[in-house]
Amino acid sequence: QKEVEQDPGPLSVPEGAIVSLNCTYSNSAFQYFMWYRQYSRKGPELLMYTYSSGNKEDGRFTAQVDKSSKYISLFIRDSQPSDSATYLCAITDNTGNQFYFGTGTSLTVIP
Amino acid sequence: EAGVTQSPTHLIKTRGQQATLRCSPISGHTSVYWYQQALGLGLQFLLWYDEGEERNRGNFPPRFSGRQFPNYSSELNVNALELEDSALYLCASSLTLTSGSDEQYFGPGTRLTVT
């Protein structure tokens, strides 16, 4: 079983829609959860970082962690065409020895 | 504040040659990570350097190696290149890991093409 599973999509939504991106993980020792956005031909950029269960909000983005279900989500409100990118989830344990990444979900927001 | 920088942007090599990729971390960051992003495979962890030492390596053959210099910049070397080494190689940096985990910040990557 892979450490992190992420639906690769692709996901296509109209502008203004609410987008839900999800990952599941296998090891309950994982404590730190991140979401990255990667535009085509660019390196990933950190969007959200959280280490506890619950929600963390930053503008139109909300990261949600459910440790009991080993499930993490990223919600994008009022999606914009500029949100079109690949979104990767990443997790690590408290040693940070290795980061595990999902394969990424490709999102297209249609004007 | 300057971000993580990588060079070259693109690199074209033939099978059997050696490739050297370079990374400069964000100022103040002492940890450097290398990842391979091959088409359809997602990000695969290659190597982690911290304070000049190799701390961990992923499931890659020994022909993938690297080092970290006293100024914390890093070099990734790939020997005896194979066609399947063609990928985007990403470098990320973070603060030294002490009691917890720190976010990684990525560079733009080096696209290596092996023909």
Side-chain angles (χ1 to χ4, degrees):
Chain A
Q1 183 184 11
K2 292 180 71 173
E3 290 83 4
V4 188
E5 301 275 0
Q6 183 176 8
D7 185 348
L11 194 58
S12 184
V13 301
E15 183 175 353
I18 296 174
V19 176
S20 173
L21 305 164
N22 309 296
C23 289
T24 58
Y25 62 95
S26 58
N27 191 337
S28 57
F30 293 138
Q31 296 186 11
Y32 297 88
F33 309 93
M34 292 140 280
W35 284 95
Y36 289 84
R37 178 175 62 197
Q38 185 175 20
Y39 290 112
S40 180
R41 299 195 171 275
K42 301 283 188 183
E45 61 175 314
L46 182 67
L47 267 181
M48 302 283 285
Y49 172 83
T50 184
Y51 57 88
S52 59
S53 280
N55 294 351
K56 181 177 181 180
E57 198 171 306
D58 184 2
R60 297 185 294 110
F61 298 90
T62 300
Q64 188 176 79
V65 177
D66 181 349
K67 288 189 177 180
S68 62
S69 302
K70 302 193 192 72
Y71 194 85
I72 62 174
S73 300
L74 177 70
F75 297 97
I76 307 174
R77 289 185 302 281
D78 187 25
S79 55
Q80 303 295 309
S82 58
D83 295 330
S84 298
T86 296
Y87 290 80
L88 301 113
C89 61
I91 56 174
T92 187
D93 60 19
N94 64 348
T95 68
N97 279 339
Q98 190 163 333
F99 285 68
Y100 298 95
F101 287 83
T103 51
T105 300
S106 175
L107 171 68
T108 300
V109 180
I110 303 167
Chain B
E1 178 185 275
V4 177
T5 59
Q6 290 186 246
S7 63
T9 305
H10 293 91
L11 190 57
I12 299 174
K13 294 285 187 178
T14 56
R15 194 168 48 185
Q17 285 188 314
Q18 180 201 33
T20 298
L21 290 66
R22 296 181 177 84
C23 171
S24 290
I26 290 171
S27 177
H29 286 189
T30 60
S31 272
V32 171
Y33 302 78
W34 286 97
Y35 294 89
Q36 181 194 68
Q37 190 176 38
L39 198 62
L41 290 180
L43 277 168
Q44 304 290 317
F45 169 70
L46 265 167
L47 290 158
W48 170 34
Y49 292 96
D50 183 58
E51 298 282 358
E53 304 267 341
E54 181 181 302
R55 302 293 184 181
N56 200 12
R57 65 179 293 130
N59 188 25
F60 280 84
R63 56 192 188 82
F64 287 84
S65 65
R67 53 182 171 166
Q68 187 178 34
F69 299 98
N71 65 355
Y72 304 116
S73 67
S74 178
E75 200 172 81
L76 174 69
N77 295 293
V78 188
N79 294 319
L81 285 165
E82 300 178 2
L83 295 177
E84 51 265 34
D85 296 334
S86 295
L88 181 69
Y89 288 84
L90 290 157
C91 168
S93 75
S94 72
L95 294 170
T96 300
L97 295 168
T98 53
S99 59
S101 177
D102 274 291
E103 305 97 302
Q104 295 187 355
Y105 294 86
F106 284 82
T110 293
R111 185 159 297 280
L112 172 64
T113 301
V114 182
T115 60

